[in-house]
Amino acid sequence: MVVAIDGPAGSGKSTIAELLAERLKLDGGRRFIYINSGNLYRAITLACQRRGVDVLDKDGVVRVARSVRLECGGGAVFLDGVDVSALLHGDGIDSAVSQLSSNVPVRHIVNALIKEMAVQRDVVVEGRDMTTVVFPDAEVRFYLDASEDARARRRFEQGTSSLGIEEIRLSIAERDIMDKNKPEGSLRVADGVTYIDTSYLTINEVYDKLEEIIRLKG
Ligand code: DC
């Protein structure tokens, strides 16, 4: 079974997807694996920074994306066998990743990798184009949304940014514009998805809503 979740930065989708993969069991005790597609773009951004490749150098970025080994497991991301999860959410990656993820050949590499990870497995997968491009036929598809203010507050409270809340809000707004205007894989609400505004909901409230729908469909 594929549970696909899309939404903008800070909509709560990573937390929810990880919780679902941790807690949800299907018939026969089958467990979900969790795939955070944004972290794959972030790990490629990190690899580019380490190799001195500018994210605007389209061919250079594609070469890096082709040459790295990316794996996901237990909520962590491994770049060439090393867990880099803790390095993926700083301001340096935040400011470059959107640009990198608009590189179409890189998107194809990431999408192929995700599809390969999902073969014959139960997965919760989240990002910007999981419900539209990568798994348009997933059994369950959600779009999680939240206001800009709510998303900026959540990011600020995570404590991984050195920016003030207003600067975070501006960077989120800029990222939204890029994410919604990509040549391929733009963030949009697909026909037939379940849309949930999480601005005034707790994580547990969102979790309960999604779990109920997954159980009904699954
Ligand atoms: O979900 P996130 O904020 O960690 O994603 C990082 C960046 O990657 C963000 O700018 C959007 C982009 N992204 C994408 O274009 N497609 C995806 N499926 C996931 C993320």
Side-chain angles (χ1 to χ4, degrees), residues 58-137:
K58 291 197 167 175
D59 295 338
V61 170
V62 173
R63 275 195 293 277
V64 173
R66 285 211 181 101
S67 68
V68 291
R69 185 160 49 90
L70 293 171
E71 289 147 321
C72 296
V77 182
F78 298 83
L79 174 62
D80 293 326
V82 179
D83 183 356
V84 291
S85 319
L87 307 176
L88 300 181
H89 291 273
D91 297 326
I93 301 275
D94 265 6
S95 59
V97 64
S98 204
Q99 192 72 52
L100 177 134
S101 66
S102 65
N103 183 318
V104 171
V106 171
R107 299 198 71 82
H108 294 170
I109 292 169
V110 169
N111 292 349
L113 179 66
I114 294 170
K115 284 184 184 161
E116 197 182 301
M117 287 176 187
V119 170
Q120 310 268 332
R121 290 211 174 101
D122 297 308
V123 296
V124 183
V125 59
E126 52 102 344
R128 305 293 190 287
D129 59 347
M130 298 300 108
T131 62
T132 52
V133 174
V134 185
F135 297 108
D137 301 322

Side-chain angles (χ1 to χ4, degrees), residues 137-157:
D137 301 322
E139 289 88 336
V140 198
R141 295 183 304 150
F142 295 105
Y143 187 102
L144 298 190
D145 209 352
S147 68
E148 230 170 60
D149 284 345
R151 294 188 287 134
R153 195 188 60 244
R154 287 173 189 166
R155 179 85 170 95
F156 182 71
E157 287 169 358

